[in-house]
Each structure stands twice: as structure tokens, then as C-alpha cells.
Amino acid sequence: MRIRLVQGFALLSTGLLSGAFGYGAANLVPTFNAVPLDMRLSFHAELMKMNGITMQAAMGASILSSLTLAVLTGGRARLLSGAAGLLALVSFLITRFGNVPINGRIKQWALTSAPADHAEILRRWELFNNMRTLTALAAFVLLIVLAVGGPRAVTRSERDRTGTPSKTRP
């Protein structure tokens, strides 16, 4: 039962993470590119204030729940959930070291003005955004594969108890 709860939470948090990033890539970024620069900068800066807490929470929950699932399971389930946790971690690292520094610059530009090379910097932000979206989506897909068609997994406690693997559904 515990494994199923952790798996459900991993699916939920990773789905929310990839959905939020996907919505941003499919809807917000094209909208950013369609409006005047000053509007984009103001909206982008305000949006990042709101996203700070919610996206960090989604990334943290995705990482922790996927890695917890990897610890609680064995075999292919451990591999899939561990890979999902690492992909969620990569999304976090891309965000922290790619998007966040540029977000800080965008906040400054919203108060002053954008530099001459702003278009290239904004393209780089979009590249980072696409990369974190894809890694979050890949993490979610791995957890879906595990939940829907994944193999039966050996739990760590069953292996320790009996000395032989017994098969259970994660």
C-alpha cells in the first residue's frame, strides 16, 4: 500500500511539473513573443514571483517522491523511478542555473530597459525552458510506463525478509 501511495504522489507531482512547464512552453512563451517587449518583461517578472514557490515545490516533490519510490522498489521499477527522479533533478538544475539567473536580469530590465543583446538572452531562456520541459515530461512518461505497463517490482522489505524475491505490484 505504501508503494502505491508513493507512486501515486510521484505521478501527481511529476505530472503537475511537466504540465506546468508544458503549458509555459506551448502558451506563455509564444504569447511573450507576440506582445511588445516592455509588456513581456513586466509580465515575465511578475509571473516569476508567483512561480518561485509553486514550481520549486513541484520540482522538490517530483524528485523526492520518485527517488523514494526507487528506494522502496527493486528491479526495473527501481530503474524507471530512479531515472524519473534524476530527470526531475535535471529539470531543477536547468531551472536553477539556466532560467533563474536570466529571470533576475529580466526583473532588472522591467524596471530599466533591456540591453541591446536582449533577444539572444531571451532565446537562451527559451532554450533552457524547452530543456527543462522535456526532462520533466520524460520523468512523467517513465512513471506512467511504470504505473500502466511496468513490470512487477520486488520491494526491498520482501527481499530482505525472505531472501528470495517475491513479485508485487508497486
Side-chain angles (χ1 to χ4, degrees):
M1 178 67 164
R2 176 178 57 176
I3 290 174
R4 297 205 38 90
L5 289 173
V6 172
Q7 184 177 29
F9 188 68
L11 275 166
L12 175 65
S13 59
T14 308
L16 289 172
L17 179 65
S18 66
F21 282 151
Y23 177 82
N27 295 299
L28 288 177
V29 171
T31 303
F32 283 162
N33 292 330
V35 298
L37 181 62
D38 62 332
M39 185 182 294
R40 176 203 176 137
L41 298 177
S42 296
F43 182 75
H44 192 120
E46 286 301 313
L47 182 63
M48 293 312 111
K49 288 180 193 175
M50 301 303 293
N51 279 354
I53 293 171
T54 57
M55 294 308 292
Q56 286 181 47
M59 285 185 272
S62 296
I63 295 164
L64 291 175
S65 60
S66 296
L67 294 179
T68 299
L69 186 60
V71 168
L72 294 175
T73 60
R76 187 164 174 235
R78 174 173 285 160
L79 181 66
L80 291 172
S81 54
L86 292 176
L87 285 164
L89 176 62
V90 169
S91 288
F92 169 77
L93 294 172
I94 291 168
T95 301
R96 177 64 190 95
F97 296 108
N99 296 93
V100 169
I102 296 172
N103 290 342
R105 294 171 84 176
I106 290 171
K107 276 187 209 175
Q108 292 173 341
W109 301 345
L111 298 174
T112 58
S113 64
D117 65 342
H118 72 276
E120 177 55 35
I121 294 167
L122 293 175
R123 270 193 293 281
R124 198 166 58 243
W125 184 93
E126 290 177 23
L127 174 65
F128 290 134
N129 189 60
N130 290 336
M131 290 168 46
R132 69 183 181 176
T133 300
L134 291 174
T135 56
L137 179 61
F140 185 45
V141 167
L142 289 178
L143 292 172
I144 290 170
V145 167
L146 179 59
V148 173
R152 295 194 171 272
V154 178
T155 65
R156 182 180 243 181
S157 61
E158 289 170 339
R159 195 173 40 251
D160 293 344
R161 223 177 320 128
T162 65
T164 60
S166 96
K167 303 289 183 174
T168 61
R169 258 327 260 176

